């Protein structure tokens, strides 16, 4: 099953440009980049390990990893769309211990247990199901799988519906954003996965693993606002009453660490 988001090529270009700017240091690192690197650094116990980044964008998380990890390591990023792969390879053309492969989280072009550590940040809330993606993430990972996504007590399937009032690249107005049967013309998932359900899916494919959920609190209101001010994306998060908010949705971001070895 493929990701069935209806997102235009123009929006992918816009997002890829933002990721590229972060990868080359033209925009600041996001708090979650910095925190991902910190968490992965604590898992690195020897040199020459392999780190995989699924849904890597332009490889902007690699920038934080290279800053924080003292040991030598190889990095491999996976992305579905050509435009992100092009930006990533341009950003990291001089980094020899870095490669990018085109592939989807539903079918990753990697061998079983190929990578010591796998990172998947801000991707699993944007897919219609986590079953096949988690199966793939577990399959390619040897030691540790680190996931950042939205976790709640209950599962909510959410669609952000696009129209030209918020996304200039979209060709239809808000009055025409839905078909008469209720299907969005263009949307992106913003799902919140129930904690018990999420862990049960992990255990299907890694029954002996240890699964740890940690709320992501490694951000400040000032840094979120600074990122929003620098960001050209209309759906950048903001702070309301001390909470990260995406339009009307409070964002319950968690780090999920799956220890396999």
């Amino acid at each position: 099953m493929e990701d069935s988001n209806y997102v235009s090529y123009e929006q992918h270009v816009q997002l890829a440009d933002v990721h590229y700017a972060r990868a080359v240091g033209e925009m600041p690192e996001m708090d979650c980049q910095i925190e991902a690197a910190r968490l992965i650094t604590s898992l690195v116990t020897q040199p020459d390990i392999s780190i995989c980044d699924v849904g890597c964008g332009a490889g902007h998380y690699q920038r934080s990893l290279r800053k924080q990890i003292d040991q030598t390591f190889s990095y491999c990023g996976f992305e579905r769309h050509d435009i992100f792969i092009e930006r990533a390879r341009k950003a990291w053309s001089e980094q020899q211990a870095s490669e990018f492969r085109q592939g989807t989280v539903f079918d990753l072009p990697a061998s079983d247990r190929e990578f010591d550590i796998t990172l998947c940040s801000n991707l699993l809330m944007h897919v219609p199901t986590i079953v096949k993606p988690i199966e793939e993430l577990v399959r390619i990972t040897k030691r540790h799988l680190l996931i950042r996504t939205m976790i709640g007590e209950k599962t909510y399937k959410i669609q952000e519906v696009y129209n030209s009032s918020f996304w200039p690249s979209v060709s239809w107005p808000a009055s025409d954003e839905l078909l008469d049967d209720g299907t969005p013309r263009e949307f992106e998932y913003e799902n919140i996965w129930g904690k018990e359900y999420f862990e049960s899916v992990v255990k299907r494919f890694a029954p002996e693993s240890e699964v740890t959920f940690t709320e992501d609190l490694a951000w400040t209101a000032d840094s979120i606002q600074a990122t929003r001010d620098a960001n050209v994306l209309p759906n950048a998060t903001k702070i309301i009453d001390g909470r990260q908010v995406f339009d009307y949705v409070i964002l319950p971001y968690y780090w999920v660490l799956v220890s396999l070895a």
Side-chain angles (χ1 to χ4, degrees), residues 163-208:
N163 62 58
S164 58
S165 296
F166 297 95
W167 290 92
S169 61
V170 175
S171 59
W172 44 82
S175 60
D176 199 29
E177 66 186 9
L178 299 176
L179 301 177
D180 288 348
D181 66 359
T183 303
R185 294 186 182 276
E186 189 169 330
F187 73 91
E188 184 168 48
Y189 287 107
E190 301 289 348
N191 295 326
I192 299 171
W193 305 107
K195 183 182 295 184
E196 289 185 36
Y197 173 70
F198 196 96
E199 184 168 1
S200 75
V201 176
V202 172
K203 292 291 189 176
R204 291 189 206 181
F205 307 108
E208 303 302 319

Side-chain angles (χ1 to χ4, degrees), residues 53-194:
D53 183 0
V54 177
C56 65
H60 48 297
Y61 278 68
Q62 184 178 186
R63 182 174 183 82
S64 302
L65 292 168
R66 296 286 175 197
K67 280 186 175 182
Q68 293 195 43
I69 298 176
D70 292 333
Q71 306 277 15
T72 56
F73 66 92
S74 64
Y75 171 95
C76 181
F78 290 87
E79 258 297 342
R80 177 180 177 182
H81 299 283
D82 289 339
I83 186 65
F84 291 99
I85 295 292
E86 291 170 7
R87 296 290 194 277
R89 289 174 176 164
K90 179 181 178 182
W92 296 100
S93 60
E94 297 183 3
Q95 175 56 252
Q96 293 185 349
S98 175
E99 67 166 314
F100 296 92
R101 304 179 194 175
Q102 189 164 11
T104 167
V105 70
F106 290 87
D107 185 17
L108 292 168
S111 304
D112 293 355
R113 295 170 57 83
E114 182 173 344
F115 302 100
D116 293 299
I117 299 173
T118 297
L119 170 66
C120 183
S121 180
N122 300 339
L123 174 60
L124 293 191
M125 64 265 216
H126 299 312
V127 294
T129 173
I130 57 172
V131 175
K132 185 60 176 177
I134 287 179
E135 180 182 12
E136 281 291 276
L137 292 169
V138 168
R139 178 184 66 81
I140 68 171
T141 306
K142 185 184 300 182
R143 294 171 52 202
H144 300 288
L145 167 60
L146 180 64
I147 298 169
R148 186 180 191 259
T149 192
M150 293 199 289
I151 298 290
E153 293 304 313
K154 298 189 296 182
T155 293
Y156 292 85
K157 299 295 292 292
I158 303 169
Q159 294 175 346
E160 179 198 0
V161 179
Y162 290 158
N163 62 58
S164 58
S165 296
F166 297 95
W167 290 92
S169 61
V170 175
S171 59
W172 44 82
S175 60
D176 199 29
E177 66 186 9
L178 299 176
L179 301 177
D180 288 348
D181 66 359
T183 303
R185 294 186 182 276
E186 189 169 330
F187 73 91
E188 184 168 48
Y189 287 107
E190 301 289 348
N191 295 326
I192 299 171
W193 305 107

Side-chain angles (χ1 to χ4, degrees), residues 30-36 38-39 148 215-220 223-224 244 255:
M30 297 183 296
D31 291 328
C32 55
Q33 284 178 240
I34 297 169
E35 181 66 2
R38 187 190 71 80
L39 292 170
R148 186 180 191 259
E215 187 176 3
D216 184 4
L217 300 175
W219 53 270
T220 66
S223 65
I224 294 294
Q244 285 196 61
W255 292 103

